[in-house]
Structures are given as C-alpha cells and as structure tokens.
Amino acid sequence: MSEFDNVTAPPPPPSTTEPAPSDQRTMALAAHLLGIFTWFIGPLIIWLVNKDDASKGFVNDQAKEALNFQITITIAFFICFLLTFVLIGALLMPLVGIVNLVFCIIAAVKSNNGEAYRYPFALRLVK
C-alpha cells in the first residue's frame, strides 16, 4: 500500500459527445467571471437558479466548480487576514488575489469554449 492510495482525485469533467449550447457556455463564463467581482455570491446565484434544470448540466457543473473555488479563496483571504497580525498575511493577500484573477480568467475562457474546467486546488464543498 503506497502513501498515495488515500489521495482522492478531483471528479472527472462531465462526458458529453456534443458541445454545450451557446447559452450554457455564456452562463458558465458568467459564473467564473462573477467570482472575480462578487466572490461566491455570483456563482451561488447562477448555481441556485440552474441546479434543478436537468438540461443545463454544463452550467450546473461549472457554477458549482466556480462556487467551490470562490469559497476556497474566501477561506484563504480570511487566513491571510489573520496572518496580517504577524505581517506575512500582508504579503500573501495580494498573491491570493492574483491567483483568483488568473484562474478565473482561465476557467472563463475554457468554459466559453465548451470545456469543463477544474480548478487545481479548490475545496469541493458543494457537490
């Protein structure tokens, strides 16, 4: 038994043979980009609106992914805020902001192309 047996991989992207419709790709793009400006509120609203519609699987998947990432970023900002009392948080907070910006833009471009994007280090709290 190796030390990597207990490590879980992120869920695979949904397998579809046909590309997602244009309106679903646009909503997925909006979910990722709204995360930059509204943190978890924008992706949460998009996910709540579309979660019960089975025909909008791509939007549901990408909104959940954006929501999970924004929750992770919120936790990281809170930890950075606590670490500002030791001065290292002031150095880490801009870094977390840049990571959020870069990964949200990459995710938005990928989802607009119809590809399901998985953030590399998001806590998957919403399933």
Side-chain angles (χ1 to χ4, degrees):
M1 178 178 227
S2 76
E3 61 190 62
F4 298 108
D5 287 342
N6 294 333
V7 177
T8 58
S15 60
T16 58
T17 55
E18 58 196 42
S22 177
D23 62 332
Q24 288 190 31
R25 291 189 314 222
T26 303
M27 287 298 289
L29 171 120
H32 290 293
L33 288 182
L34 280 174
I36 297 171
F37 303 107
T38 63
W39 284 4
F40 63 89
I41 303 296
L44 176 65
I45 291 171
I46 291 176
W47 178 64
L48 288 175
V49 168
N50 295 303
K51 74 176 183 171
D52 296 327
D53 193 356
S55 65
K56 295 189 177 184
F58 185 72
V59 175
N60 186 21
D61 176 60
Q62 291 302 295
K64 276 195 295 190
E65 188 67 20
L67 177 60
N68 283 327
F69 183 68
Q70 292 307 319
I71 290 171
T72 305
I73 291 295
T74 303
I75 292 169
F77 269 122
F78 181 71
I79 291 170
C80 287
F81 174 74
L82 292 177
L83 289 175
T84 55
F85 298 112
V86 210
L87 298 178
I88 193 163
L91 299 173
L92 291 176
M93 203 171 291
L95 182 65
V96 171
I98 291 170
V99 165
N100 184 28
L101 178 70
V102 169
F103 280 128
C104 286
I105 291 172
I106 291 171
V109 169
K110 295 273 188 177
S111 64
N112 194 36
N113 291 336
E115 302 172 32
Y117 183 75
R118 297 283 177 235
Y119 290 98
F121 54 87
L123 299 174
R124 305 243 170 3
L125 302 174
V126 179
K127 297 190 189 243

